[in-house]
Amino acid sequence: MKILPYLPDRSGLAYSVGTTLDRFIKLKQSDFPFASGELSQLLRDIALAAKIVNRETNRAGLSNIGGAFGQVNVQGEEQQKLDVIANIRFMRALSKGGEVCAIVSEEEDSVIDLQNSSGKYVVAIDPLDGSSNIDVNISIGTIFSIYRRITPAGSPIQQEDIMQKGSEQVAAGYVLYGSSTMLVYTTGCGVNGFTYEQSLGEFFLSHPDIRAPKSGEIYSVNEGSQLDWEAGIKNYITLCKERRYSARYIGSLVADFHRNLLKGGIYLYPATKKNPSGKLRLLYEANALALIAEQAGAMATDGSRRILDIKPTSLHQRTPLLIGSSEMVQEAEAILKGEDVKSLI
Ligand code: P6P
């Protein structure tokens, strides 16, 4: 009888496509000396909530959970029923998981102190971003940041535990509820994407070691605000048009970011008359995507500062955001600073 050797995946990657998320988390845990498994468990808790929210979003049209909830959140935005459901699901998963001591959520006015004396981590989360797209079946997403608490475990949560720079994140990720549902995250050792197989209830590694193209020909911005833009933004978008780049903007940050991350491109949400500090929130939108961007070789700035260097001063503070392929962000920043971009090409 001839016995053939098992031929390992020839991709040369440390982890082969098709590895389950659970197994990947376990295998990657060894990247962290002295890791005791709490962060691994926290990532699993987030994945569980994502599976539940995925189920809810997939049947929103059938189970009367689409549409407005009838209240306005702290942002002054009309809450959709799925916003509230997603918030409840992630809150429950994070509090029951036992690894978290405090949560900052787009849907909560103030910090949620879980009174968990053993929780080492603080989570900042936008449970369901782009929710206005729910009723028209456009992709939406969850965005999360994970920080280690600074003050001693068991002591009361302090401002310093919450108001940490994005560069202090120990992990960050997003879930994209789209044509397929994906979980993309980083723990500071690269970016990996997992696709959800509904029939098995598992996330499987589908996009190992994501690297963003250094440049691209896609720009994502709401051109309806063009008359509000500062001159530098107008000049950069004009340059994109002169180069005949493609305009792709679906009004859902996670979906626009994910496409640009894979194909190359830039997403811009500058200051506008309605949002003079930009629309996107630093703590639970910009910081997470900025860490993922940088880990994938891309960039994220507010037009002059690296997003991850911005010291938060308020829970729901907003920031202008330019994020995507490094050469495109660099060029946009140079134009905003009035530099002659010819020198960049
Ligand atoms: P506008 C959704 O509300 C969101 O926060 C992002 O997902 C999206 O990119 C942006 O706002 C859309 O905002 O002002 O262009 O409709």
Side-chain angles (χ1 to χ4, degrees):
M1 175 179 72
K2 189 173 184 185
I3 296 175
L4 295 175
Y6 167 65
L7 295 180
D9 179 321
R10 295 191 179 286
S11 64
L13 291 163
Y15 308 96
S16 57
V17 170
T19 301
T20 65
L21 175 62
D22 270 8
R23 177 161 176 69
F24 183 88
I25 291 172
K26 183 171 171 40
L27 289 170
K28 293 289 269 185
Q29 185 173 301
S30 59
D31 287 349
F32 302 94
F34 321 117
S36 50
E38 287 105 330
L39 179 59
S40 297
Q41 184 51 51
L42 174 47
L43 289 167
R44 288 190 194 93
D45 296 337
I46 289 173
L48 172 61
K51 293 176 185 177
I52 296 168
V53 171
N54 175 67
R55 182 192 61 198
E56 309 285 4
T57 50
N58 284 350
R59 59 194 182 95
L62 298 172
S63 53
N64 187 32
I65 55 174
F69 178 63
Q71 286 183 13
V72 170
N73 65 14
V74 67
Q75 323 291 337
E77 293 165 349
E78 186 175 40
Q79 284 181 312
Q80 303 300 306
K81 289 175 189 168
L82 265 175
D83 276 329
V84 176
I85 290 169
N87 190 48
I88 291 167
R89 294 297 189 184
F90 276 99
M91 289 284 157
R92 194 174 294 167
L94 294 174
S95 56
K96 287 183 181 304
E99 309 304 344
V100 177
C101 57
I103 302 171
V104 176
S105 168
E106 180 187 72
E107 303 303 330
E108 301 291 341
D109 296 3
S110 51
V111 176
I112 306 296
D113 181 343
L114 296 179
Q115 308 287 320
N116 174 9
S117 59
S118 59
K120 285 184 181 174
Y121 297 101
V122 173
V123 173
I125 189 165
D126 182 355
L128 207 57
D129 177 74
S131 53
S132 55
N133 292 310
I134 293 168
D135 290 350
V136 292
N137 204 18
I138 288 176
S139 302
I140 48 184
T142 296
I143 309 171
F144 63 89
S145 289
I146 302 174
Y147 297 87
R148 199 173 282 106
R149 77 171 290 175
I150 293 174
T151 56
S155 63
I157 298 294
Q158 303 295 328
Q159 178 106 336
E160 64 189 287
D161 294 314
I162 307 299
M163 299 299 185
Q164 299 187 52
K165 287 182 183 179
S167 53
E168 297 302 313
Q169 292 172 94
V170 293
Y174 59 85
V175 183
L176 176 57
Y177 310 97
S179 50
S180 66
T181 292
M182 282 193 70
L183 169 64
V184 178
Y185 81 93
T186 181
T187 53
C189 301
V191 178
N192 291 280
F194 298 78
T195 297
Y196 186 53
E197 172 45 68
Q198 195 100 21
S199 62
L200 300 175
E202 282 282 5
F203 281 102
F204 290 91
L205 181 64
S206 54
H207 296 67
D209 194 22
I210 295 174
R211 303 297 298 164
K214 287 196 174 307
S215 191
E217 299 191 353
I218 295 172
Y219 69 96
S220 306
V221 70
N222 183 340
E223 306 226 25
S225 307
Q226 180 172 2
L227 299 180
D228 296 344
W229 296 340
E230 62 176 285
I233 296 287
K234 288 179 181 172
N235 294 340
Y236 179 70
I237 297 301
T238 299
L239 188 61
C240 292
K241 293 178 186 227
E242 287 169 351
R243 292 171 176 166
R244 301 302 187 274
Y245 286 176
S246 296
R248 293 287 184 274
Y249 187 79
I250 74 164
S252 192
L253 170 60
V254 173
D256 281 322
F257 173 78
H258 182 73
R259 179 201 52 245
N260 294 350
L261 187 72
L262 297 186
K263 291 182 175 287
I266 184 171
Y267 171 102
L268 308 94
Y269 206 109
T272 63
K273 186 176 284 183
K274 184 180 174 191
N275 293 294
S277 300
K279 178 179 183 184
L280 300 165
R281 276 60 58 136
L282 179 63
L283 260 72
Y284 41 78
E285 289 172 335
N287 273 340
L289 299 185
L291 181 63
I292 289 172
E294 293 198 2
Q295 283 288 311
M299 277 181 74
T301 82
D302 67 354
S304 61
R305 294 175 298 172
R306 179 180 176 238
I307 290 288
L308 297 182
D309 288 339
I310 298 175
K311 176 71 176 160
T313 52
S314 70
L315 213 49
H316 300 289
Q317 79 181 65
R318 298 175 190 267
T319 176
L321 180 64
L322 286 71
I323 189 168
S325 296
S326 55
E327 291 177 3
M328 299 178 85
V329 172
Q330 280 171 331
E331 187 173 46
E333 251 193 340
I335 290 175
L336 281 170
K337 290 172 183 169
E339 292 169 18
D340 172 11
V341 290
K342 299 289 183 290
S343 59
L344 280 174
I345 298 171

